[in-house]
Amino acid sequence: MGTRDYLVRREGTNGDMRLLKERLLQLDADPQVAAIGLGGADLFLNAADRTYWIREMRPLAQLVRNKVLVDGSGLKGAVEADTIRYLHKEGGLELKGKRALVTSAVDRWGLAMALDAAGAQTSYGDLYYVLGIRSIIHNKRALRRAVRIAAPIAVKLPFSWIYPTVTDHSSRTVRHAWTDRLYYDYDIIAGDYKYIAKYMPPDLEGIWVITNTTTTADVDFLRSRGVGKLITTTPRLDGRSFGTNVMEALLVAAAGQTKALTAQQYLSLLAEFDLHPSIEDLQ
């Protein structure tokens, strides 16, 4: 593959769905646009061997007819599962026996299954982080059953009800004795950064965080909370790790494709471009 320059631009609509629809139509008609990555929202969820389309987001996908519209889900499953292999083989980090909490396995299925396969004692926080039910799932069979019961209902809810779109390093964390104990019970907290940050107590000495998009300010926040290692599933470029939606759109454009790639194609391109997960000691 020859050398080419790509312009990657991040835009926001401040939660305005009307403006988002207008912008998607403009981008779809722009001949200079190769691919569109939708951030801050999932079009669908891939979990428990099924695909669940989020009702509020499906009309957005139907607007885009001429370009590839991706939300990071295709890359997410492949790269996050491969991150666990990378931690062990390239980073020398042992996961076997570690106690790991995946904040939402339905959102990070590849990561959740890879942690379990690596020998981590893995629990799943979907009932609490997504639905607000104070209960943690501790085995895969119960997780699959819960996903197949709850996911068809959850995807019909407004997306803002099930995902904390405004949470970042500047947001006030939500503190409860129950959530504090929840974090203290684990060696690894893994999942979407907004979920992780929302309930994070101030004294998590030595804990590992495995997550996605983080800015320099987010890294400083995690360091101030005592986090020992920060592992981001996408590489850190110019001080921040980019979301899988950005990386997926970029890889689709680089491959010159008119549709989303397979998991193996994504991994092959990441290897070709020498893009790897980031492992950072914070203390």
Side-chain angles (χ1 to χ4, degrees), residues 74-116:
L75 178 61
K76 188 188 301 181
V79 75
E80 293 188 346
D82 194 62
T83 294
I84 303 306
R85 178 206 61 80
Y86 183 86
L87 292 181
H88 180 65
K89 287 198 170 184
E90 307 297 334
L93 300 179
E94 182 56 66
L95 295 168
K96 188 174 183 179
K98 292 279 188 183
R99 298 164 299 168
L101 172 67
V102 180
T103 54
S104 174
V106 73
D107 181 51
R108 290 291 191 278
W109 194 260
L111 178 61
M113 296 301 103
L115 280 167
D116 179 80

Side-chain angles (χ1 to χ4, degrees), residues 114-283:
L115 280 167
D116 179 80
Q121 300 174 25
T122 311
S123 300
Y124 315 97
D126 297 67
L127 293 176
Y128 183 64
Y129 285 89
V130 180
L131 300 178
I133 301 170
R134 289 196 180 188
S135 180
I136 301 299
I137 300 170
H138 297 290
N139 68 77
K140 288 194 298 183
R141 180 178 296 180
L143 173 66
R144 285 180 177 272
R145 186 165 58 247
V147 166
R148 290 187 175 179
I149 293 172
I153 300 170
V155 294
K156 294 177 182 178
L157 298 173
F159 191 73
S160 60
W161 289 18
I162 60 177
Y163 183 70
T165 55
V166 297
T167 302
D168 61 17
H169 67 275
S170 64
S171 303
R172 183 176 179 180
T173 55
V174 180
R175 294 286 307 280
H176 302 294
W178 189 84
T179 53
D180 282 2
R181 290 196 303 272
L182 178 63
Y183 279 70
Y184 297 147
D185 281 345
Y186 294 94
D187 307 304
I188 300 170
I189 306 293
D192 188 279
Y193 180 73
K194 293 183 184 296
Y195 277 138
I196 292 173
K198 183 175 182 179
Y199 301 106
M200 182 173 282
D203 48 349
L204 289 176
E205 182 178 354
I207 199 172
W208 298 0
V209 167
I210 304 176
T211 190
N212 52 331
T213 312
T214 52
T215 65
T216 301
D218 296 327
V219 174
D220 290 340
F221 169 78
L222 293 172
R223 182 180 289 112
S224 73
R225 298 280 159 147
V227 170
K229 288 186 185 296
L230 170 62
I231 298 103
T232 51
T233 56
T234 52
R236 187 165 294 280
L237 305 172
D238 293 332
R240 66 169 295 146
S241 59
F242 282 91
T244 51
N245 65 297
V246 175
M247 299 300 296
E248 186 174 5
L250 179 58
L251 293 174
V252 169
Q257 296 296 308
T258 57
K259 62 181 180 180
L261 308 181
T262 66
Q264 190 53 54
Q265 285 175 312
Y266 286 126
L267 293 177
S268 296
L269 283 172
L270 288 171
E272 181 178 340
F273 296 146
D274 197 28
L275 296 173
H276 302 291
S278 169
I279 304 173
E280 192 171 355
D281 289 310
L282 298 189
Q283 303 304 323

